[in-house]
Amino acid sequence: MVKVKPKVVVYKRMNEQVLNKIREMCDVSYFPAYKEDYPAFLAALKEAEGVLGAGLKFDTALLDQAPKLKIICNTSVGYDNLDIPLLKERGILATNTPGVLNDTVADAIVALMLSAARRVTELDQFVKTGGWSEQGFLQQQFGVDVHHKTLGIIGMGGIGTTLAKRAYFGFDMHVLYHNRSRNEQAEHTYNAVYCTMDELLEQSDFVCVMTPLTAQTEKLISKREFAKMKKTAIFVNAARGKVVDEAALIEALQSNVILAAGLDVFEKEPTGQNNPLLCMPNVVTLPHIGSATAETRMKMAQLGADNLVAGVHGKRPLTPIY
Ligand SMILES: NC(=O)c1ccc[n+]([C@@H]2O[C@H](COP(=O)([O-])OP(=O)(O)OC[C@H]3O[C@@H](n4cnc5c(N)ncnc54)[C@H](O)[C@@H]3O)[C@@H](O)[C@H]2O)c1
Ligand SMILES: O=C(O)[C@H](O)CO
């Protein structure tokens, strides 16, 4: 007897090899750009037992269109697109991809810290547009050191801890952190010191926010928090844009409340070309690419696929959110 494969929807561009592995176990409807083919996407969702992708908000209206759904698998560690109480209420499982991206995202944060402190993107433009003359460069173009400075990490989870390791061993930095709970590994291994949010903001040369986006962390860093930071502080956000009040960040940079910023994420993505942050030489920007190396994206896709296949076949997925 031929066994019927469970129907699943993959709504994000996926590595062909990983997609074919899913196809061995599932009947896949693939929408690499689901918005362009929305009616067909909804029709497939009606029959789907599992979904794999990232970022799509599964609210009541969308879940009502997916009556057979057993599992939603994110190919991301962040799951602010999911309403966890609602999913639990409906008996739907959810998974994310923790751990496999920690090193890659921590590397990207270091890149932002170094670029902002040593003015890499600004000076790159200076050289490429012919500004480098016989007179050399000006003292006004000097950067600031990263090594031996104080780094404050808000959200000392998987990525925060991996960043602390780089800061402590690679740059001889003093690490402060603020988190919902104490992180003993970071305290013992990287000499990280737990402090209140205000202590961290007042004492840090670099402030990096790495919490998930939740009701508690939305606009966690706002006008009051920027005012607490040193005038020489460099602020880095690779978490989610909405964890920061972007208008307050713009104001803090425009009025020299802080020195510079490195941003991988924005309130609205993609951010509009009229965003004042894009015209500031002391702001280094990336297009939400923190985890996006070929190797790590492959690991995230594989983990997401393994979760999906397990979930629709009634097995416990590898990295359930609850
Ligand atoms: N830029 C990117 O490409 C990229 C890549 C990966 C993750 N992220 C974002 O980074 C977030 C963190 O990832 P992670 O893997 O380190 O997650 P994690 O769950 O391991 O760590 C998050 C930490 O934040 C802490 N936290 C939560 N709410 C808090 C609050 N109100 N105050 C203080 N601390 C709080 C938690 O206790 C936890 O220790 C993700 O949720 C995602 O949104 C972005
Ligand atoms: O949360 C994540 O994993 C990143 O933002 C990549 O999508």
Side-chain angles (χ1 to χ4, degrees):
M1 203 174 77
V2 184
K3 204 161 180 266
V4 180
K5 291 178 182 173
K7 289 188 166 50
V8 299
V9 166
V10 177
Y11 71 89
K12 202 184 170 207
R13 192 166 300 285
M14 188 67 48
N15 174 281
E16 269 303 311
Q17 222 180 307
V18 177
L19 201 55
N20 287 335
K21 259 189 75 186
I22 305 172
R23 284 186 176 124
E24 284 172 18
M25 302 296 288
C26 306
D27 177 353
V28 180
S29 296
Y30 182 39
F31 300 92
Y34 71 92
K35 282 182 194 159
E36 285 165 22
D37 204 5
Y38 205 62
F41 167 77
L42 285 185
L45 204 58
K46 230 176 197 60
E47 298 304 320
E49 292 183 48
V51 170
L52 177 65
L56 180 59
K57 282 225 176 303
F58 281 90
D59 55 13
T60 307
L62 192 59
L63 287 175
D64 286 346
Q65 307 272 342
K68 298 182 181 170
L69 210 53
K70 290 181 181 160
I71 185 164
I72 301 178
C73 303
N74 269 7
T75 51
S76 63
V77 69
Y79 53 86
D80 43 282
N81 61 317
L82 303 179
D83 181 338
I84 300 300
L86 179 63
L87 294 181
K88 282 184 177 171
E89 193 186 296
R90 293 193 178 205
I92 299 171
L93 268 178
T95 66
N96 65 342
T97 59
V100 292
L101 42 57
N102 289 351
D103 284 303
T104 299
V105 181
D107 285 353
I109 297 170
V110 171
L112 286 171
M113 286 167 58
L114 287 169
S115 300
R118 300 302 303 272
R119 303 168 67 169
V120 173
T121 52
E122 183 189 350
L123 295 175
D124 172 68
Q125 279 309 301
F126 174 72
V127 175
K128 287 178 180 167
T129 56
W132 192 15
S133 66
E134 288 300 324
Q135 280 87 49
F137 49 83
L138 306 171
Q139 202 164 334
Q140 292 95 289
Q141 289 169 315
F142 287 180
V144 295
D145 279 331
V146 175
H147 65 86
H148 294 96
K149 294 283 182 68
T150 297
L151 167 64
I153 301 173
I154 302 165
M156 190 65 117
I159 298 168
T161 308
T162 312
L163 173 65
K165 177 182 178 184
R166 281 154 175 70
Y168 181 67
F169 288 122
F171 295 90
D172 296 305
M173 293 180 93
H174 175 45
V175 178
L176 305 178
Y177 79 100
H178 180 70
N179 201 46
R180 278 184 310 190
S181 53
R182 297 286 282 262
N183 181 325
E184 287 183 9
Q185 186 212 343
E187 292 185 19
H188 290 140
T189 324
Y190 314 126
N191 263 349
V193 175
Y194 178 83
C195 45
T196 65
M197 177 80 120
D198 284 358
E199 285 165 348
L200 181 148
L201 297 172
E202 284 160 7
Q203 294 171 30
S204 299
D205 299 301
F206 293 81
V207 175
C208 177
V209 60
M210 222 47 240
T211 64
L213 172 62
T214 62
Q216 291 73 41
T217 63
E218 190 164 352
K219 297 199 176 171
L220 182 70
I221 309 298
S222 197
K223 190 180 169 89
R224 190 195 82 88
E225 286 68 34
F226 287 117
K228 291 261 170 208
M229 292 181 201
K230 294 183 182 181
K231 274 197 169 329
T232 51
I234 294 179
F235 176 70
V236 176
N237 184 10
R240 285 287 184 268
K242 286 184 180 157
V243 173
V244 176
D245 179 341
E246 201 166 274
L249 171 63
I250 292 168
E251 197 191 313
L253 288 159
Q254 281 170 340
S255 47
N256 302 318
V257 171
I258 61 169
L259 181 68
L263 306 171
D264 186 39
V265 290
F266 296 83
E267 204 167 86
K268 181 179 159 287
E269 295 180 0
T271 190
Q273 279 304 300
N274 57 354
N275 187 335
L277 291 167
L278 307 193
C279 305
M280 298 182 189
N282 53 341
V283 176
V284 181
T285 60
L286 289 174
H288 196 151
I289 206 165
S291 66
T293 60
E295 301 94 324
T296 293
R297 280 296 165 93
M298 183 69 178
K299 286 181 196 159
M300 292 162 72
Q302 266 164 354
L303 180 53
D306 289 345
N307 280 329
L308 177 76
V309 170
V312 294
H313 284 93
K315 295 191 186 125
R316 186 80 181 146
L318 280 82
T319 50
I321 295 168
Y322 45 87

